[in-house]
Amino acid sequence: MFSLGMSRKEAFRNLLFENVIISVLALAIALAAGTVLSFLFFSVIIYAIDVHGVQWQFCPEAYKLTAVLYTVVVAVAFILNAGRLMLDKIGTLLKAQYRAEKTGKIGTFLCRFAPNYMGFHLVEWSFVRRHKKEWGCRYVLASLIIAVSVMLTGVCVTLYPAFLQDAKSYSPYDMVYSEIYGMNQVSVQDVLHILEKNGVTVEQVIQLPYIRDDVFNYLPVTEINRDFGCDYQIQEGEFLNLFQYNLEDGYEHNIQPVSTVTISGDRKLQSVGTDVKILFNQNPTFADKTLIINDSDFEKLSADITGSAVIANLFQFQNWEDSYAGVCEVKEYLQESNQLNEDEQTYYELSSKVEKYQDAKKSGQFLLFLMAFVIGLMIMAEFLLIHSRIQAEKEENSRVVCSLRMLGMIDKEMVKCLCYKNFLRFIPPSVVGTILSFLPSYYLNESYGMGTNGILAGIVFGVILTVGIFVVIRRYSEKEEKLYESGFIIQGRGFFERIF
């Protein structure tokens, strides 16, 4: 613009108008594409993963926030570039592209310590030595994007089996319900008949008596030792704090044992310690804390608190994976016998391993899909970050391609040069990003004891990503070579048309 005699203000107004038009169109297209993607995203969650608790809704706040953030980023970028336009000398701006072609530190280092290599690839390096500052920023951002993508991949690969394992470890029995407060008062034989009708074979049924108040479950020590193979020794007037947690499940657990419990007015029980062990399933009829007490104290407490003694029915199936239909029918049978609506029945509902496992499986699939969606967007952003810079250099590279063709370089040799250039543009961020992800991936997954597995999963994903990039580079370079050649022809034709 300056070489055509345009003033700074005229150039600024033209650039401002052009950037506003492009930015508005880009924002409109992006919002439309985001709307379609979000609809497809929720469709997959609802119909493919079978999560019906969510639905797609139009949210104006999301569009407003996106527009504001986009406007801020575009405004900052335009102000920085406009500052260069208004402050730099015209001569400096005209010479910018020639200054960018100076050999950088890496090129100088390779020329000194690997002269044969640089001599052999001198033509290829003519493409990659320009705009070192711009490419340096993009290499850093692209490497960070790849690092986050690889780290998220490692976390997903370890979390999915952890979800399934937690569902199994927290459900040692295949079905549990309690006869409590006059609810679920059904015959065990009727429940067995329903399960048998649905092809579920029951191997074991344990009926565990316990006492519940607002805070504690009180369990008799003899029943616990007999039914669950424990060896607790608890004397009269004592109790043991039982916390049913898996300390290796990656979550923080609030383990605060009780030292003294007052029952029946003024009678106190003293703690003899704490044990962390999963004996039976979680269930809505159980209180938050569990105490194991002596049989004598259990009988006295049962006599003092009328109607507090209840029974937990624990079922063990031969094949729990095929028990879903039977469990659902038993659940309906209990609700009909209680004559409660769904909200009220929630407090007395049975719990089962198959339902916990299916919920964990859905959660894992949702996590995998969500992270795959995010990782896909991040990899696309990394590709566009590098591709946009390559497109910005199209005019310069077209001149280089034209010069090389005038020297006699054929199409095959030209594609080889562009492949080498694109290899140096796309591959280093992938490799560096994969390496950068090792340490955070290890510490994030080590809470599950899978730090090494997280690193291995990241390495596999990084290798697959790098190989995928390597495979498509040649096709990308062939299209780029055709684009440069056609672009130069069109530019030359337009130049002569304007002259003549």
Side-chain angles (χ1 to χ4, degrees):
M1 291 180 179
F2 291 153
S3 63
L4 295 176
M6 190 176 290
S7 67
R8 287 180 185 269
K9 291 183 178 180
E10 291 173 331
F12 181 82
R13 284 196 297 268
N14 278 276
L15 289 177
L16 177 61
F17 177 77
E18 179 185 15
N19 279 271
V20 168
I21 294 298
I22 294 175
S23 299
V24 170
L25 290 175
L27 178 61
I29 295 172
L31 292 177
T35 303
V36 174
L37 281 177
S38 65
F39 182 78
L40 294 176
F41 179 85
F42 277 90
S43 298
V44 172
I45 292 175
I46 296 172
Y47 299 107
I49 305 179
D50 197 28
V51 178
H52 295 285
V54 295
Q55 60 181 351
W56 186 88
Q57 291 181 341
F58 179 77
C59 182
E61 289 76 11
Y63 293 84
K64 293 177 182 178
L65 181 60
T66 303
V68 170
L69 293 176
Y70 179 80
T71 303
V72 170
V73 172
V74 170
V76 171
F78 183 78
I79 290 173
L80 293 177
N81 286 282
R84 290 179 54 189
L85 175 66
M86 300 301 290
L87 297 177
D88 284 353
K89 295 181 179 180
I90 295 179
T92 304
L93 293 171
L94 294 176
K95 296 177 181 178
Q97 64 179 6
Y98 300 103
R99 294 201 315 270
E101 296 181 3
K102 293 182 180 179
T103 303
K105 295 181 180 179
I106 297 178
T108 303
F109 175 82
L110 292 175
C111 287
R112 180 175 300 177
F113 293 96
N116 293 332
Y117 172 83
M118 290 300 292
F120 185 75
H121 294 284
L122 184 62
V123 176
E124 291 89 336
W125 272 85
S126 64
F127 288 97
V128 300
R129 67 183 186 179
R130 299 180 179 86
H131 307 287
K132 297 174 287 296
K133 182 178 179 180
E134 288 80 0
W135 276 111
C137 294
R138 279 165 172 76
Y139 279 146
V140 172
L141 291 175
S143 298
L144 292 177
I145 292 173
I146 293 297
V148 174
S149 301
V150 174
M151 181 187 65
L152 291 177
T153 302
V155 171
C156 291
V157 170
T158 57
L159 276 182
Y160 182 71
F163 283 162
L164 303 182
Q165 183 59 39
D166 287 346
K168 293 180 181 179
S169 62
Y170 278 94
S171 300
Y173 287 87
D174 301 325
M175 189 177 73
V176 175
Y177 70 89
S178 294
E179 301 174 22
I180 183 171
Y181 304 148
M183 299 297 172
N184 298 336
Q185 304 295 319
V186 298
S187 171
V188 175
Q189 295 300 324
D190 292 340
V191 174
L192 293 176
H193 177 71
I194 293 173
L195 294 172
E196 183 180 358
K197 184 178 64 175
N198 287 273
V200 181
T201 302
V202 179
E203 293 185 337
Q204 183 185 25
V205 179
I206 295 177
Q207 291 188 305
L208 175 67
Y210 70 98
I211 299 172
R212 175 187 169 163
D213 58 20
D214 294 336
V215 181
F216 300 107
N217 303 308
Y218 300 94
L219 306 177
V221 64
T222 302
E223 295 282 349
I224 294 297
N225 289 338
R226 183 188 63 194
D227 295 335
F228 304 106
C230 301
D231 189 24
Y232 298 131
Q233 302 298 323
I234 301 175
Q235 304 300 321
E236 188 174 356
E238 298 175 344
F239 68 87
L240 176 73
N241 289 276
L242 177 66
F243 293 96
Q244 297 198 98
Y245 296 132
N246 178 10
L247 297 181
E248 296 182 356
D249 60 4
Y251 297 96
E252 292 185 3
H253 299 290
N254 184 19
I255 299 178
Q256 295 181 350
V258 180
S259 58
T260 304
V261 174
T262 302
I263 60 175
S264 302
D266 57 351
R267 191 152 52 92
K268 293 185 177 181
L269 303 180
Q270 301 294 327
S271 173
V272 293
T274 299
D275 191 22
V276 181
K277 188 176 184 179
I278 299 176
L279 299 182
F280 46 84
N281 305 35
Q282 298 173 342
N283 189 273
T285 58
F286 297 142
D288 294 334
K289 295 180 179 294
T290 300
L291 306 180
I292 302 176
I293 62 178
N294 183 268
D295 292 356
S296 177
D297 292 324
F298 184 83
E299 293 176 0
K300 293 177 182 179
L301 185 61
S302 178
D304 293 339
I305 307 177
T306 305
S308 63
V310 295
I311 296 176
N313 296 284
L314 316 175
F315 292 78
Q316 198 77 51
F317 302 151
Q318 187 176 29
N319 190 4
W320 64 268
E321 292 91 345
D322 301 327
S323 63
Y324 183 75
V327 168
C328 290
E329 187 169 343
V330 172
K331 185 180 293 187
E332 294 176 359
Y333 176 65
L334 293 177
Q335 183 174 350
E336 292 175 358
S337 66
N338 295 334
Q339 296 183 353
L340 300 175
N341 57 42
E342 292 185 3
D343 293 336
E344 295 172 333
Q345 180 64 23
T346 302
Y347 300 102
Y348 309 101
E349 203 165 52
L350 65 80
S351 56
S352 64
K353 180 184 291 185
V354 65
E355 290 178 309
K356 294 291 184 182
Y357 186 84
Q358 288 186 358
D359 290 343
K361 190 174 181 180
K362 288 181 181 179
S363 299
Q365 291 174 346
F366 175 78
L367 174 69
L368 291 177
F369 174 70
L370 176 62
M371 290 297 102
F373 186 81
V374 173
I375 291 169
L377 291 179
M378 295 183 71
I379 293 177
M380 184 186 300
E382 184 266 346
F383 171 80
L384 292 176
L385 186 68
I386 298 176
H387 172 73
S388 61
R389 185 63 224 181
I390 293 176
Q391 291 297 104
E393 298 175 0
K394 181 174 67 174
E395 184 178 353
E396 299 175 40
N397 290 334
S398 296
R399 293 198 300 268
V400 177
V401 169
C402 180
S403 300
L404 293 175
R405 287 199 172 279
M406 293 176 65
L407 294 174
M409 183 173 287
I410 61 176
D411 291 343
K412 184 177 181 180
E413 294 173 328
M414 185 63 66
V415 171
K416 183 179 178 181
C417 289
L418 294 176
C419 282
Y420 184 90
K421 182 260 296 184
N422 292 324
F423 179 89
L424 294 179
R425 295 308 191 198
F426 285 99
I427 296 298
S430 177
V431 176
V432 174
T434 302
I435 296 173
L436 290 176
S437 70
F438 289 167
L439 191 60
S441 180
Y442 176 82
Y443 282 106
L444 282 174
N445 292 290
E446 187 58 23
S447 59
Y448 292 90
M450 298 182 180
T452 304
N453 293 345
I455 293 178
L456 292 177
I459 292 176
V460 172
F461 177 76
V463 170
I464 293 175
L465 179 62
T466 304
V467 172
I469 294 173
F470 185 81
V471 170
V472 301
I473 277 179
R474 181 171 183 83
R475 178 60 179 167
Y476 180 87
S477 302
E478 290 174 351
K479 295 185 67 176
E480 185 183 11
E481 190 267 340
K482 293 179 180 179
L483 179 66
Y484 289 157
E485 185 175 2
S486 60
F488 184 81
I489 293 173
I490 293 173
Q491 290 177 7
R493 184 183 302 165
F495 175 76
F496 285 105
E497 287 176 352
R498 286 192 296 271
I499 293 178
F500 297 104

Coordinates of all heavy atoms in Angstrom, one line a residue, residues 289-344:
K289 N -22.1 -43.5 58.7 CA -21.0 -44.1 59.5 C -21.4 -45.5 60.0 O -22.6 -45.7 60.3 CB -20.6 -43.2 60.6 CG -20.0 -41.9 60.2 CD -19.6 -41.0 61.4 CE -19.0 -39.7 61.0 NZ -17.7 -39.9 60.3
T290 N -20.5 -46.4 60.1 CA -20.7 -47.7 60.5 C -19.8 -48.1 61.7 O -18.6 -47.8 61.7 CB -20.5 -48.7 59.3 OG1 -21.3 -48.4 58.2 CG2 -20.7 -50.1 59.8
L291 N -20.5 -48.7 62.7 CA -19.8 -49.1 63.9 C -20.0 -50.6 64.1 O -21.2 -51.0 64.0 CB -20.2 -48.3 65.1 CG -20.2 -46.8 65.1 CD1 -20.6 -46.2 66.4 CD2 -18.7 -46.3 64.8
I292 N -19.0 -51.3 64.4 CA -19.1 -52.7 64.8 C -19.0 -52.9 66.3 O -18.0 -52.4 66.9 CB -18.1 -53.6 64.1 CG1 -18.1 -53.4 62.6 CG2 -18.2 -55.0 64.5 CD1 -17.0 -54.1 61.8
I293 N -20.1 -53.4 66.9 CA -20.2 -53.5 68.4 C -20.3 -54.9 68.8 O -20.5 -55.9 68.1 CB -21.3 -52.7 68.9 CG1 -22.7 -53.2 68.4 CG2 -21.2 -51.2 68.5 CD1 -23.9 -52.5 68.9
N294 N -20.1 -55.1 70.1 CA -20.3 -56.5 70.8 C -21.7 -56.9 70.7 O -22.6 -56.1 70.7 CB -19.8 -56.4 72.2 CG -19.8 -57.7 72.9 OD1 -20.8 -58.1 73.5 ND2 -18.7 -58.5 72.8
D295 N -21.9 -58.2 70.6 CA -23.3 -58.8 70.5 C -24.1 -58.4 71.7 O -25.3 -58.1 71.5 CB -23.2 -60.3 70.4 CG -22.6 -60.8 69.1 OD1 -22.3 -59.9 68.3 OD2 -22.4 -62.0 69.0
S296 N -23.6 -58.3 72.9 CA -24.3 -57.9 74.1 C -24.8 -56.5 73.9 O -26.0 -56.2 74.2 CB -23.5 -58.1 75.3 OG -24.2 -57.7 76.5
D297 N -23.9 -55.6 73.5 CA -24.3 -54.2 73.3 C -25.4 -54.1 72.2 O -26.3 -53.3 72.3 CB -23.1 -53.4 73.0 CG -22.2 -53.2 74.2 OD1 -22.7 -53.1 75.3 OD2 -21.0 -53.2 73.9
F298 N -25.3 -55.0 71.2 CA -26.2 -54.9 70.1 C -27.6 -55.3 70.6 O -28.6 -54.7 70.2 CB -25.8 -55.9 69.0 CG -26.6 -55.8 67.8 CD1 -26.5 -54.9 66.8 CD2 -27.7 -56.8 67.6 CE1 -27.3 -54.8 65.7 CE2 -28.5 -56.8 66.5 CZ -28.3 -55.8 65.5
E299 N -27.7 -56.4 71.4 CA -29.0 -56.8 72.0 C -29.6 -55.7 72.9 O -30.8 -55.5 72.8 CB -28.8 -58.1 72.7 CG -28.4 -59.3 71.8 CD -28.2 -60.5 72.6 OE1 -28.3 -60.5 73.9 OE2 -27.9 -61.6 72.0
K300 N -28.8 -55.1 73.7 CA -29.3 -54.1 74.6 C -29.8 -52.9 73.8 O -30.8 -52.3 74.1 CB -28.2 -53.6 75.6 CG -27.8 -54.7 76.6 CD -26.6 -54.2 77.4 CE -26.2 -55.3 78.4 NZ -25.1 -54.8 79.3
L301 N -29.0 -52.5 72.8 CA -29.4 -51.4 71.9 C -30.6 -51.6 71.2 O -31.5 -50.8 71.0 CB -28.2 -51.0 71.0 CG -28.4 -49.7 70.1 CD1 -28.6 -48.5 71.0 CD2 -27.2 -49.6 69.2
S302 N -30.8 -52.9 70.7 CA -32.0 -53.3 70.0 C -33.2 -53.2 70.9 O -34.3 -52.9 70.5 CB -31.8 -54.7 69.4 OG -33.0 -55.1 68.7
A303 N -33.1 -53.6 72.2 CA -34.2 -53.6 73.1 C -34.5 -52.1 73.5 O -35.7 -51.8 73.7 CB -33.8 -54.4 74.3
D304 N -33.5 -51.3 73.6 CA -33.8 -49.9 74.0 C -34.4 -49.1 72.9 O -35.3 -48.2 73.2 CB -32.5 -49.2 74.4 CG -31.9 -49.8 75.7 OD1 -32.7 -50.5 76.4 OD2 -30.7 -49.7 75.9
I305 N -34.0 -49.3 71.7 CA -34.5 -48.5 70.5 C -35.6 -49.4 69.8 O -35.2 -50.2 69.0 CB -33.4 -48.1 69.6 CG1 -32.3 -47.3 70.4 CG2 -33.9 -47.2 68.5 CD1 -31.1 -46.9 69.5
T306 N -36.8 -49.2 70.1 CA -37.9 -50.0 69.5 C -38.0 -49.8 68.0 O -38.1 -48.6 67.6 CB -39.2 -49.8 70.2 OG1 -39.0 -49.9 71.6 CG2 -40.3 -50.7 69.7
G307 N -38.0 -50.8 67.3 CA -38.3 -50.7 65.8 C -37.0 -50.3 65.1 O -37.1 -50.0 63.9
S308 N -35.9 -50.2 65.7 CA -34.7 -49.8 65.0 C -33.9 -50.9 64.4 O -33.1 -50.7 63.5 CB -33.7 -49.1 66.0 OG -33.3 -50.0 67.0
A309 N -34.1 -52.2 64.8 CA -33.4 -53.3 64.3 C -34.0 -53.6 62.9 O -35.2 -53.8 62.7 CB -33.5 -54.5 65.2
V310 N -33.1 -53.7 61.9 CA -33.5 -54.0 60.5 C -32.6 -55.1 60.0 O -31.7 -55.5 60.6 CB -33.4 -52.7 59.7 CG1 -34.4 -51.7 60.1 CG2 -32.0 -52.2 59.7
I311 N -33.0 -55.5 58.8 CA -32.2 -56.6 58.1 C -31.8 -56.2 56.7 O -32.6 -55.7 55.9 CB -33.1 -57.9 58.1 CG1 -33.4 -58.4 59.5 CG2 -32.4 -59.0 57.3 CD1 -34.3 -59.6 59.5
A312 N -30.5 -56.4 56.4 CA -30.0 -56.2 55.1 C -29.9 -57.5 54.4 O -29.3 -58.4 54.9 CB -28.7 -55.5 55.2
N313 N -30.5 -57.6 53.2 CA -30.4 -58.8 52.4 C -29.4 -58.6 51.3 O -29.5 -57.7 50.5 CB -31.8 -59.1 51.8 CG -32.9 -59.4 52.8 OD1 -32.9 -60.4 53.4 ND2 -33.7 -58.4 53.1
L314 N -28.4 -59.5 51.3 CA -27.2 -59.4 50.4 C -27.3 -60.6 49.5 O -27.2 -61.8 50.0 CB -25.9 -59.3 51.2 CG -25.9 -58.4 52.4 CD1 -24.5 -58.5 53.1 CD2 -26.1 -57.0 51.9
F315 N -27.4 -60.4 48.2 CA -27.5 -61.5 47.2 C -26.2 -61.6 46.4 O -25.6 -60.6 46.0 CB -28.7 -61.3 46.3 CG -30.0 -61.3 47.0 CD1 -30.5 -60.3 47.7 CD2 -30.8 -62.5 46.8 CE1 -31.7 -60.3 48.3 CE2 -32.1 -62.5 47.4 CZ -32.5 -61.5 48.2
Q316 N -25.8 -62.9 46.2 CA -24.6 -63.2 45.3 C -25.1 -64.0 44.2 O -25.7 -65.1 44.4 CB -23.6 -63.9 46.1 CG -22.2 -63.9 45.4 CD -21.5 -62.5 45.6 OE1 -21.4 -62.1 46.7 NE2 -21.0 -62.0 44.5
F317 N -24.9 -63.5 42.9 CA -25.4 -64.2 41.7 C -24.3 -65.0 41.1 O -23.1 -64.8 41.3 CB -26.0 -63.3 40.7 CG -27.1 -62.4 41.2 CD1 -27.3 -61.1 40.7 CD2 -27.9 -62.9 42.2 CE1 -28.3 -60.3 41.1 CE2 -29.0 -62.1 42.7 CZ -29.2 -60.8 42.1
Q318 N -24.7 -66.0 40.3 CA -23.7 -66.8 39.5 C -23.1 -66.0 38.4 O -21.9 -66.1 38.1 CB -24.4 -68.1 39.0 CG -23.4 -69.0 38.3 CD -24.1 -70.3 37.9 OE1 -25.3 -70.3 37.6 NE2 -23.4 -71.4 37.9
N319 N -23.9 -65.1 37.7 CA -23.5 -64.3 36.6 C -24.2 -63.0 36.7 O -25.3 -62.8 36.2 CB -23.7 -65.0 35.3 CG -23.1 -64.3 34.1 OD1 -22.3 -63.4 34.3 ND2 -23.3 -64.8 32.9
W320 N -23.5 -62.0 37.4 CA -24.2 -60.7 37.6 C -24.3 -59.9 36.3 O -25.2 -59.0 36.3 CB -23.4 -59.9 38.7 CG -22.0 -59.5 38.2 CD1 -20.8 -60.2 38.4 CD2 -21.6 -58.4 37.5 NE1 -19.8 -59.6 37.9 CE2 -20.2 -58.4 37.3 CE3 -22.3 -57.3 37.0 CZ2 -19.5 -57.4 36.6 CZ3 -21.6 -56.3 36.3 CH2 -20.3 -56.3 36.2
E321 N -23.5 -60.1 35.3 CA -23.6 -59.4 34.1 C -24.9 -59.5 33.4 O -25.4 -58.6 32.7 CB -22.5 -59.7 33.1 CG -21.1 -59.4 33.5 CD -20.4 -60.5 34.3 OE1 -21.1 -61.4 34.8 OE2 -19.2 -60.4 34.5
D322 N -25.6 -60.7 33.6 CA -26.9 -60.9 33.0 C -28.1 -60.7 33.9 O -29.2 -61.3 33.6 CB -26.9 -62.4 32.4 CG -25.8 -62.6 31.4 OD1 -25.4 -61.7 30.7 OD2 -25.3 -63.7 31.4
S323 N -27.9 -60.0 35.0 CA -28.9 -59.9 36.0 C -29.7 -58.6 35.9 O -30.6 -58.4 36.8 CB -28.3 -60.0 37.4 OG -27.4 -58.9 37.6
Y324 N -29.5 -57.8 34.9 CA -30.2 -56.5 34.9 C -31.7 -56.6 34.8 O -32.4 -55.9 35.6 CB -29.7 -55.7 33.7 CG -30.3 -54.3 33.6 CD1 -29.8 -53.3 34.5 CD2 -31.3 -54.0 32.7 CE1 -30.4 -52.0 34.4 CE2 -31.8 -52.7 32.6 CZ -31.4 -51.7 33.5 OH -31.9 -50.4 33.5
A325 N -32.2 -57.5 34.0 CA -33.7 -57.6 33.9 C -34.3 -58.1 35.2 O -35.3 -57.6 35.6 CB -34.0 -58.6 32.7
G326 N -33.7 -59.1 35.8 CA -34.2 -59.6 37.1 C -34.1 -58.5 38.2 O -35.1 -58.4 39.0
V327 N -33.0 -57.8 38.2 CA -32.9 -56.7 39.3 C -34.0 -55.7 39.1 O -34.6 -55.2 40.0 CB -31.5 -56.1 39.2 CG1 -31.4 -54.8 40.0 CG2 -30.4 -57.1 39.7
C328 N -34.3 -55.3 37.8 CA -35.3 -54.3 37.6 C -36.7 -54.8 38.0 O -37.5 -54.0 38.6 CB -35.3 -53.9 36.1 SG -33.9 -53.0 35.5
E329 N -37.0 -56.1 37.8 CA -38.3 -56.6 38.2 C -38.4 -56.7 39.7 O -39.5 -56.4 40.3 CB -38.5 -58.0 37.5 CG -39.9 -58.5 37.8 CD -40.2 -59.7 37.0 OE1 -39.5 -60.0 36.0 OE2 -41.2 -60.4 37.3
V330 N -37.3 -57.0 40.4 CA -37.3 -57.0 41.8 C -37.5 -55.6 42.4 O -38.3 -55.4 43.3 CB -36.0 -57.6 42.4 CG1 -35.9 -57.4 43.9 CG2 -35.9 -59.1 42.0
K331 N -36.9 -54.6 41.7 CA -37.1 -53.2 42.1 C -38.5 -52.8 42.0 O -39.1 -52.1 42.9 CB -36.2 -52.3 41.3 CG -36.2 -50.9 41.7 CD -35.2 -50.1 40.8 CE -33.8 -50.4 41.0 NZ -32.9 -49.5 40.2
E332 N -39.2 -53.2 40.9 CA -40.6 -52.9 40.7 C -41.5 -53.6 41.7 O -42.4 -53.0 42.3 CB -41.0 -53.2 39.3 CG -40.4 -52.4 38.2 CD -40.7 -52.9 36.8 OE1 -41.5 -53.9 36.7 OE2 -40.3 -52.3 35.8
Y333 N -41.1 -54.8 42.0 CA -41.9 -55.6 43.0 C -41.8 -54.9 44.4 O -42.8 -54.8 45.1 CB -41.3 -57.0 43.1 CG -41.9 -57.9 44.1 CD1 -43.3 -58.2 44.1 CD2 -41.2 -58.4 45.2 CE1 -43.8 -59.0 45.1 CE2 -41.7 -59.2 46.2 CZ -43.1 -59.5 46.1 OH -43.6 -60.3 47.1
L334 N -40.6 -54.4 44.8 CA -40.5 -53.8 46.1 C -41.3 -52.5 46.1 O -41.9 -52.2 47.1 CB -39.0 -53.5 46.4 CG -38.1 -54.7 46.6 CD1 -36.6 -54.2 46.8 CD2 -38.5 -55.5 47.8
Q335 N -41.3 -51.7 45.0 CA -42.0 -50.5 45.0 C -43.5 -50.7 45.1 O -44.3 -50.0 45.8 CB -41.7 -49.7 43.7 CG -42.4 -48.4 43.6 CD -42.0 -47.6 42.4 OE1 -41.0 -48.0 41.7 NE2 -42.6 -46.5 42.1
E336 N -44.0 -51.8 44.4 CA -45.4 -52.1 44.5 C -45.8 -52.6 45.9 O -46.9 -52.2 46.4 CB -45.8 -53.2 43.5 CG -45.7 -52.8 42.1 CD -45.9 -53.9 41.1 OE1 -46.1 -55.1 41.6 OE2 -45.9 -53.7 39.9
S337 N -44.9 -53.3 46.6 CA -45.2 -53.8 47.9 C -45.2 -52.6 48.9 O -46.0 -52.6 49.9 CB -44.2 -54.9 48.4 OG -42.9 -54.3 48.5
N338 N -44.4 -51.6 48.7 CA -44.3 -50.5 49.6 C -45.4 -49.5 49.3 O -45.7 -48.6 50.2 CB -42.9 -49.8 49.5 CG -41.8 -50.7 49.9 OD1 -42.0 -51.5 50.8 ND2 -40.6 -50.4 49.4
Q339 N -46.0 -49.5 48.1 CA -47.0 -48.6 47.7 C -46.5 -47.1 47.8 O -47.2 -46.3 48.4 CB -48.3 -48.8 48.5 CG -48.9 -50.2 48.3 CD -50.2 -50.4 49.0 OE1 -50.6 -49.5 49.8 NE2 -50.9 -51.5 48.8
L340 N -45.4 -46.9 47.3 CA -44.8 -45.5 47.3 C -44.5 -45.0 45.9 O -44.4 -45.9 45.0 CB -43.4 -45.6 48.1 CG -43.4 -46.0 49.6 CD1 -42.0 -46.1 50.1 CD2 -44.3 -45.0 50.4
N341 N -44.5 -43.7 45.8 CA -44.1 -43.2 44.5 C -42.6 -43.2 44.3 O -41.9 -43.6 45.2 CB -44.7 -41.7 44.3 CG -44.1 -40.8 45.4 OD1 -43.0 -40.9 45.8 ND2 -45.0 -40.0 45.9
E342 N -42.2 -42.9 43.1 CA -40.7 -43.0 42.8 C -39.9 -42.2 43.7 O -38.8 -42.6 44.1 CB -40.5 -42.7 41.3 CG -41.1 -43.6 40.3 CD -40.7 -43.3 38.9 OE1 -39.9 -42.4 38.7 OE2 -41.2 -44.0 38.0
D343 N -40.3 -41.0 44.0 CA -39.5 -40.1 44.9 C -39.3 -40.7 46.3 O -38.3 -40.7 46.9 CB -40.1 -38.7 44.9 CG -40.0 -38.0 43.6 OD1 -39.1 -38.4 42.8 OD2 -40.8 -37.1 43.4
E344 N -40.4 -41.2 46.8 CA -40.4 -41.8 48.2 C -39.6 -43.1 48.2 O -38.9 -43.4 49.2 CB -41.8 -42.0 48.7 CG -42.6 -40.7 48.9 CD -44.0 -40.9 49.2 OE1 -44.6 -42.0 48.8 OE2 -44.6 -40.1 49.9

